[in-house]
Amino acid sequence: MAKNYKAINWNQVSDAIDKATWEKLTEQFWLDTRIPVSNDLGDWRTLDSDHQWLVGHVFGGLTLLDTVQSEQGMAALRKNVVTQHETAVLNNIQFMESVHAKSYSTIFSTLNTPEEIDEIFTWSDSEEFLQNKAVRIAGMYMDDSVDPLKKKVANVFLETFLFYSGFFTPLYYLGHNKLNNVAEIIKLILRDESVHGTYIGYKFQIGLKQLSEKKQQDMKDWMYNFLYELYDNEEKYTHLLYDQVGWTEEVLTFIRYNANKALMNLGQDPLFPDSAADVNPIVMNGISTSTANHDFFSQVGNGYRLGEVEAMEPGDYNIKDPNEK
Ligand code: MN3
Ligand code: MN3
C-alpha cells in the first residue's frame, strides 16, 4: 500500500485532451426529463403496429447496451487509466451512460402501455442476438485477464458501431419530421457518444503506439477479426428487427458505415466499402444537424445554451505519438 494518496490537481494536467474532454462533456450535459416527449404522441398514433413494435424494441436493445456501459464499461476502463484526470472523465461518462439508459424509459413511459413496456424488457433480457453482443462485450469488461487495450476496442466498437442498428429508426423518423422529441433525445445521446468514442479511441492509440511492431500487428489482426464476429451477429439482429418493415438493407449499410467510423476512432483503416454517400440521406441529415436549442438552463439563470455544442469530428483530436518530440 502506498504511503500517501495523491490529490487530483487540475492546474497540472499532463494530457490536455483530458481537460478538453471534461470541458466538452460538462458543457453538453443534459437530462431526459427536460425533453417534452409527450408532444410526439400524435405522430406515434399514426404508426401501424409493426412500426410501433420496431420503435419499442430498438429502444429496448439500446437500453441494454447503455446498461452495460454504465454498469461495467467505464468501471473496466477506469482500472487502467494513465492520468487522474482520465478517471474524472470516465466518471462523467459513466454517469451519462446511466442518463442514456434511463432516457429510453422516459420514452417508453410516454408512448407505451405498461404491458408493452414489460414485454419490451422481457424481450431485451432474453433476445438471442441482442444478448450475444451485450454478454460478449460485458464479459470482456469483467474479465481481468483481458488485455486493457482490447477492452478499449470493445468499448469503441460498442459505442460507435453496435448502437447504430438502433439509432437508425429515430433518425429515419426525424428525417420524415416525425417523433421529433424522441429523436432529440437520441441526438443528445449521439452527441455524447461522438465524444466518448473519440476520447477512448485516442487513449487506445496512445497505448497501441507503445507496443512493439509485432504486438501492434497482433492487436490489429485481433481487432478486425473481432469486428467481423460482431458484424456477423449484428446482421442477424438487424434482420430480426427490420425485416418486417423492409428497411434491413439500408440499416446494414448504415452500420457498416459506422463500423468504419469506429475503426477510424481507433486510428485504423476502414473495413467496408460503404461511405456516407451510400447511407440514406434522410438518416445522414438527422445525424449531422445540431440539436434543437431547448435552452434548459437559462430557466435557472446560468445561461447555458445546450444547442450550441456541436458533435465532435475525428479531426478534433490531433493524435501525436507521445514518444515523439
Ligand atoms: Mn451511451
Ligand atoms: Mn458512451
Side-chain angles (χ1 to χ4, degrees):
M1 191 102 177
K3 188 165 157 244
N4 296 324
Y5 204 95
K6 191 171 163 39
I8 184 167
N9 182 354
W10 281 95
N11 296 308
Q12 270 181 19
V13 176
S14 58
D15 186 342
I17 298 293
D18 291 337
K19 188 158 184 277
T21 304
W22 173 272
E23 285 167 358
K24 182 122 187 142
L25 288 173
T26 51
E27 261 169 36
Q28 66 185 42
F29 176 75
W30 62 280
L31 286 172
D32 53 296
T33 45
R34 308 288 186 107
I35 313 280
V37 179
S38 60
N39 290 349
D40 287 351
L41 274 169
D43 288 342
W44 175 249
R45 290 182 187 122
T46 68
L47 303 186
D48 66 23
S49 60
D50 280 350
H51 290 84
Q52 287 190 352
W53 184 93
L54 174 66
V55 172
H57 290 73
V58 297
F59 290 147
L62 293 171
T63 303
L64 183 73
L65 300 184
D66 268 316
T67 306
V68 169
Q69 286 300 79
S70 64
E71 293 182 351
Q72 303 298 340
M74 297 310 119
L77 298 190
R78 223 162 32 211
K79 288 182 184 166
N80 298 96
V81 295
V82 176
T83 69
Q84 288 181 291
H85 309 96
E86 186 177 350
T87 304
V89 172
L90 295 177
N91 288 343
N92 173 297
I93 294 177
Q94 177 168 284
F95 175 72
M96 288 315 293
E97 300 299 0
S98 290
V99 173
H100 298 173
K102 177 178 175 294
S103 67
Y104 307 113
S105 287
T106 298
I107 297 172
F108 295 145
S109 71
T110 310
L111 302 183
N112 296 101
T113 64
E115 293 74 26
E116 286 168 350
I117 296 172
D118 283 349
E119 189 279 325
I120 288 166
F121 278 93
T122 302
W123 182 90
S124 49
D125 292 349
S126 60
E127 200 295 309
E128 180 186 355
F129 303 121
L130 175 61
Q131 285 291 325
N132 280 349
K133 52 180 168 173
V135 169
R136 180 77 165 92
I137 304 271
M140 287 180 64
Y141 286 154
M142 291 187 280
D143 183 347
D144 285 336
S145 71
V146 170
D147 181 336
L149 280 181
K150 290 185 178 173
K151 293 185 188 191
K152 290 188 172 69
V153 173
N155 184 85
V156 172
F157 282 172
L158 180 58
E159 297 252 316
T160 314
F161 167 40
L162 296 177
F163 272 90
Y164 282 80
S165 51
F167 289 152
F168 184 94
T169 294
L171 293 171
Y172 176 92
Y173 280 118
L174 177 65
H176 290 88
N177 199 28
K178 282 200 168 144
L179 303 178
N180 287 322
N181 294 282
V182 167
E184 186 63 17
I185 289 185
I186 301 311
K187 287 173 68 177
L188 288 162
I189 293 175
L190 279 170
R191 191 179 63 172
D192 290 345
E193 301 308 1
S194 170
V195 182
H196 300 172
T198 315
Y199 180 72
I200 309 294
Y202 160 78
K203 292 289 181 181
F204 167 80
Q205 291 182 57
I206 289 181
L208 184 69
K209 281 176 181 151
Q210 286 161 353
L211 300 182
S212 69
E213 237 164 72
K214 162 87 174 71
K215 288 204 162 153
Q216 290 194 28
Q217 193 52 53
D218 290 348
M219 180 65 72
K220 286 178 190 184
D221 293 344
W222 173 82
M223 195 188 307
Y224 282 93
N225 283 330
F226 185 35
L227 187 61
Y228 274 121
E229 177 197 326
L230 293 172
Y231 180 76
D232 186 51
N233 183 73
E234 202 60 17
E235 250 188 319
K236 294 171 187 148
Y237 182 62
T238 301
H239 278 287
L240 174 81
L241 284 172
Y242 288 99
D243 278 358
Q244 60 179 347
V245 297
W247 301 350
T248 305
E249 289 312 314
E250 278 185 62
V251 178
L252 289 174
T253 302
F254 185 57
I255 66 176
R256 287 191 298 266
Y257 162 73
N258 284 290
N260 285 342
K261 291 198 82 166
L263 287 166
M264 270 172 55
N265 279 341
L266 295 163
Q268 308 303 314
D269 296 328
L271 174 65
F272 297 108
D274 310 78
S275 72
D278 299 311
V279 177
N280 182 339
I282 288 170
V283 171
M284 283 310 284
N285 256 342
I287 271 203
S288 60
T289 50
S290 63
T291 67
N293 188 353
H294 282 281
D295 198 8
F296 305 147
F297 294 98
S298 64
Q299 300 164 31
V300 290
N302 65 4
Y304 283 162
R305 290 284 190 278
L306 195 65
E308 288 173 6
V309 184
E310 300 294 327
M312 296 195 75
E313 296 297 326
D316 287 358
Y317 285 153
N318 195 3
I319 317 274
K320 291 203 187 81
D321 186 334
N323 301 316
E324 263 172 30
K325 286 280 149 61

